């Protein structure tokens, strides 16, 4: 065992083109650090429907140039096998450690394989890459990003020519092509021949951003904005300027790209403490709304004034923003299909039904939402919103921010707020209260054991509500492909829904909870919120017990 790990590490060292990871691996070999070597060589990062994502470092279980070169070669082989071997591959990247290197390696592999490659001019938001694929008529696109993961991580997201992220069977076929590569010494890499794009594609993207707004809508809302140390500031402020909104007040400490993300524990607006600096700025500026992007600017977070919240500001849940944008689009006479993932609130369906619009449920992830036929609007509770599917078939934190700011401006002209609109939606459709039980684990068997416990001993009631139906999502259905998850519908005094699934990108078990409480009028809202909070707390407790957590 010891000899095997050392032999594999030495073989890796011999072909690694990166002096940094070579130095790391040499030091581990010199120290005979078998634990660290064992972690890095215990298997390989799995290429799945999210592409690749993992911690930076040497070895096949880390993100590094060897892993990326192999992934690029596998994608090139897949494209050639599909008759796309002379097509264009567009490559984008964020500002994380090694992102530019991984983008350059990808372009070098594509050109050597006979494809054409074009690299975005600098670190830019993921939605710009998703837009560029269709705008340039590419056969595929790659975005080097780990989104809102910790600073030590990076990732590799793959899109096909329709501008959507890969789904089965493409992910498996690309993974098979990667596995067929014995050594990166067998992978040709060009030292030139790819195109570095100018700002034309970014300009074309920015020209589309105005399309999400009504021509003569008010543009008066004042915004505090944080880019969360990512790549969103330049593009968002340019989009706001084109639209005629007041320039956002920037959270200066987080405005510029910084791969260390020094002011946050996790660069994710949903994480506790991540928005503290933005709220501090808001208390000084007193804006109408606070908006945040995650580091690759494909997600959009929104916070509203709330005197009852610590610090006077409250983060809206992704489901709340999803409902607000849906209501806004309905008022703008949008037509087409509204879609959300199964873990998002059922309120979207109520809003669509009331407007006479079709709606669809999909599996988790924009790779599924973006593929809904006739899509006009799609969202996911994890702060992802697709408001211009004709331009970007993915979540887009820039255009979502524009649409939120337009809505705030319109409400402001009427003497109303986002909170007022949420209250009105609750009275009209019932209070749809959502929460999440998320369990991060060191040992992945904890997740497997919890899923097995729920399958072998399914609960008959949760939070005093009867389990009216239980679905094992691995069986699939006429509308949903199979996925590892469980869904429960509950009824009793209120209706509720619970979905349990392992995370696709992190070592977490995620449980998505929703309770619907009828509301007779605005005066009944406080009692409805209190009742919903009690049910959600009980759901967390009972579900934890049922799963053995």
């Amino acid at each position: 065992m010891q000899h095997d790990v050392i032999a594999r590490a030495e073989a890796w060292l011999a072909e690694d083109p990166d002096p940094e990871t070579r130095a790391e691996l040499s030091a581990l070999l010199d120290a005979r650090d078998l634990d660290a070597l064992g972690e890095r060589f215990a298997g390989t990062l799995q290429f799945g429907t999210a592409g690749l994502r993992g911690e930076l470092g040497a070895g096949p279980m880390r993100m590094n140039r060897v892993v990326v070169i192999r992934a690029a070669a596998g994608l090139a082989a897949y494209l050639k096998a599909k008759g796309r071997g002379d097509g264009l591959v567009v490559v984008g990247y964020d500002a994380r450690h090694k992102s530019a290197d991984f983008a350059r390696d990808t372009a070098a592999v594509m050109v050597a394989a006979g494809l054409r490659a074009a690299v975005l001019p600098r670190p830019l938001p993921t939605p710009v890459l998703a837009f560029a694929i269709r705008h340039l008529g590419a056969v595929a696109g790659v975005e080097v990003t780990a989104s809102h993961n910790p600073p030590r991580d990076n990732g590799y997201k793959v899109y096909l020519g329709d501008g959507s992220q890969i789904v089965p069977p493409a992910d498996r076929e690309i993974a098979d092509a990667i596995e067929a590569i014995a050594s990166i010494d067998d992978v040709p890499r060009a030292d030139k021949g790819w195109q570095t794009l100018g700002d034309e594609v970014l300009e074309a993207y920015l020209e589309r951003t105005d399309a999400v707004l009504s021509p003569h809508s008010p543009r008066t809302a004042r915004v505090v904005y944080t880019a969360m140390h990512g790549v969103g500031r330049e593009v968002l402020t340019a989009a706001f300027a084109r639209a005629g909104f007041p320039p956002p007040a920037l959270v200066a400490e987080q405005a510029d790209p910084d791969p260390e993300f020094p002011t946050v524990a996790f660069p994710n607006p949903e994480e506790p403490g991540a928005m503290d600096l933005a709220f501090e700025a808001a208390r000084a500026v007193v804006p109408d709304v606070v908006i945040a992007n995650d580091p690759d600017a494909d997600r959009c977070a929104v916070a509203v004034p709330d005197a009852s919240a610590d610090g006077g500001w409250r983060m809206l849940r992704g489901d709340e923003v999803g409902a607000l944008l849906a209501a806004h689009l309905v008022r703008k006479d949008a037509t087409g299909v509204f879609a959300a993932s199964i873990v998002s609130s059922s309120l979207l369906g109520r809003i669509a039904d009331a407007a006479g619009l079709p709606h669809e449920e999909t599996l988790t992830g924009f790779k599924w939402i973006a593929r809904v036929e006739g899509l006009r609007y799609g969202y996911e509770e994890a702060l992802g919103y697709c408001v211009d599917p004709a331009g970007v078939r993915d979540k887009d934190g820039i255009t979502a921010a524009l649409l939120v700011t337009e809505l705030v401006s319109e409400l402001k002209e009427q003497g109303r707020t986002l909170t007022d609109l949420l209250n009105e939606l609750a009275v009209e459709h019932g209070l749809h209260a959502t929460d999440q039980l998320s369990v991060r684990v060191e040992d992945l068997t904890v997740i497997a054991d919890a899923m097995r416990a729920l399958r072998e001993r399914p609960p008959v009631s949760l939070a005093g509500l009867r389990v009216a139906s239980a679905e094992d999502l691995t069986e699939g259905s006429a509308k949903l492909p199979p996925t590892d998850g469980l869904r429960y519908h509950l009824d009793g005094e209120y209706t509720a829904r619970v979905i349990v699934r392992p995370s696709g990108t992190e070592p977490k078990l995620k449980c998505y909870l929703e309770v619907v409480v009828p509301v007779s009028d605005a005066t009944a809202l406080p009692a409805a919120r209190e009742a919903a909070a009690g049910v959600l707390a009980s759901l967390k407790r009972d579900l934890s017990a049922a799963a053995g957590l």
Side-chain angles (χ1 to χ4, degrees):
M1 180 67 175
Q2 173 180 336
H3 175 76
D4 185 43
V5 168
I6 290 171
R8 278 185 285 146
E10 289 173 341
W12 185 280
L13 186 64
E15 66 176 24
D16 190 343
D18 189 331
E20 289 186 29
T21 45
R22 276 207 314 273
E24 174 193 333
L25 197 51
S26 293
L28 294 174
L29 282 165
D30 290 345
R32 284 298 193 262
D33 189 339
L34 296 178
D35 288 341
L37 289 168
E39 283 180 15
R40 286 160 173 76
F41 289 87
T44 58
L45 280 183
Q46 292 303 300
F47 187 93
T49 48
L52 293 164
R53 196 178 291 186
E55 186 176 344
L56 290 162
M61 288 296 290
R62 298 285 189 268
M63 282 297 296
N64 50 63
R65 290 184 62 195
V66 176
V67 165
V68 164
I69 289 165
R70 286 170 57 90
L75 175 58
Y78 167 85
L79 292 171
K80 291 169 82 169
K82 297 295 183 184
R84 303 292 179 88
D86 59 351
L88 173 69
V89 178
V90 191
V91 185
Y93 58 102
D94 66 11
R96 285 176 178 267
H97 293 298
K98 297 289 183 183
S99 286
D101 295 337
F102 295 167
R104 190 167 49 248
D105 281 333
T106 300
V109 170
M110 295 301 163
V111 169
L115 290 125
R116 293 173 293 126
V119 182
L120 294 184
R122 58 189 171 278
L124 287 168
T126 294
V128 176
L129 179 277
F131 167 82
I133 294 166
R134 300 176 69 207
H135 179 69
L136 297 173
V139 296
V142 170
E143 177 70 15
V144 180
T145 181
S147 190
H148 55 273
N149 274 40
R152 65 180 182 273
D153 289 1
N154 214 327
Y156 198 81
K157 187 183 290 187
V158 176
Y159 298 75
L160 293 182
D162 62 356
S164 300
Q165 296 175 51
I166 53 170
V167 294
D171 57 339
R172 184 66 254 167
E173 292 173 23
I174 296 170
D176 290 344
I178 294 169
E179 289 168 15
I181 299 161
S183 164
I184 69 161
D185 291 339
D186 302 330
V187 178
R189 280 174 283 151
D191 55 13
K192 59 183 178 181
W194 58 87
Q195 178 186 8
T196 300
L197 296 166
D199 279 344
E200 300 83 9
V201 168
L202 177 57
E203 283 297 310
Y205 169 81
L206 285 168
E207 282 178 17
R208 274 208 70 91
T209 58
D210 263 359
V212 306
L213 304 175
S214 298
H216 304 294
S217 60
R219 312 280 166 96
T220 57
R222 292 167 300 122
V223 174
V224 161
Y225 169 72
T226 176
M228 204 68 67
H229 298 297
V231 297
R233 175 182 58 83
E234 173 197 354
V235 180
L236 182 131
T237 53
F240 268 56
R242 281 174 181 257
F245 288 116
L250 303 177
V251 179
E253 303 93 327
Q254 299 175 333
D256 295 325
D258 188 333
E260 290 298 320
F261 304 102
T263 68
V264 289
F266 281 86
N268 179 353
E270 292 179 293
E271 292 287 339
M275 295 290 287
D276 286 356
L277 285 172
F279 294 160
E280 186 178 312
R283 287 190 288 275
V285 174
V286 195
D288 299 300
V289 67
V290 173
I291 291 176
N293 287 138
D294 67 339
D296 69 326
D298 63 349
R299 298 170 194 249
C300 177
V302 179
V304 296
D306 186 339
S308 67
D310 286 344
W313 286 84
R314 177 175 80 88
M315 271 279 289
L316 296 182
R317 291 187 170 276
D319 285 318
E320 292 177 304
V321 178
L324 288 167
L325 289 177
H328 186 43
L329 288 168
V330 165
R331 203 197 59 75
K332 286 156 65 84
D333 296 321
T335 58
V337 180
F338 282 24
S341 64
I342 57 173
V343 299
S344 303
S345 172
S346 60
L347 177 56
L348 184 74
R350 302 275 184 98
I351 292 170
D353 283 343
L357 294 172
H359 62 91
E360 295 283 347
E361 274 192 332
T362 74
L363 292 185
T364 309
F366 266 82
K367 58 185 176 282
W368 298 110
I369 295 170
R371 284 182 160 76
V372 169
E373 191 172 342
L375 180 69
R376 175 58 186 87
Y377 167 63
Y379 98 91
E380 188 158 68
E381 53 75 42
L383 309 184
Y385 314 95
C386 175
V387 301
D388 178 26
V392 176
R393 289 192 181 173
D394 199 3
K395 53 187 177 291
D396 183 346
I398 305 297
T399 49
L402 286 172
L403 203 60
V404 166
T405 309
E406 179 185 58
L407 173 57
V408 173
S409 298
E410 291 189 355
L411 292 169
K412 183 179 179 181
E413 298 285 301
Q414 302 161 12
R416 299 159 67 217
T417 65
L418 293 179
T419 302
D420 292 332
L421 181 52
L422 283 171
N423 290 343
E424 291 160 18
L425 291 172
V427 172
E428 183 177 357
H429 303 292
L431 176 67
H432 288 62
T434 58
D435 204 351
Q436 193 178 128
L437 171 64
S438 184
V439 183
R440 184 180 289 272
V441 301
E442 295 290 331
D443 181 359
L444 290 176
T445 61
V446 173
I447 294 176
D449 289 346
M451 295 299 289
R452 187 182 309 110
L454 290 169
R455 286 187 169 109
E456 291 177 354
R457 297 180 298 280
V460 295
S461 68
L462 294 166
L465 302 174
R466 181 179 68 90
V467 176
S469 68
E471 299 167 77
D472 190 334
L473 300 176
T474 55
E475 297 171 4
S477 68
K479 291 193 172 183
L480 295 175
T483 188
D484 187 9
L486 298 163
R487 176 163 59 178
Y488 307 101
H489 286 98
L490 316 174
D491 63 23
E493 186 176 2
Y494 311 112
T495 59
R497 187 204 64 199
V498 173
I499 294 174
V500 185
R501 59 178 283 272
S503 169
T505 56
E506 299 175 273
K508 284 182 175 180
L509 182 69
K510 289 188 165 185
C511 309
Y512 303 85
L513 318 172
E514 179 179 48
V515 59
V516 181
V517 179
V519 181
S520 56
D521 56 43
T523 62
L525 273 169
R529 288 200 176 93
E530 185 176 347
V535 173
L536 291 171
S538 296
L539 282 173
K540 284 185 180 182
R541 183 192 64 237
D542 292 357
L543 192 60
S544 294
L549 297 171

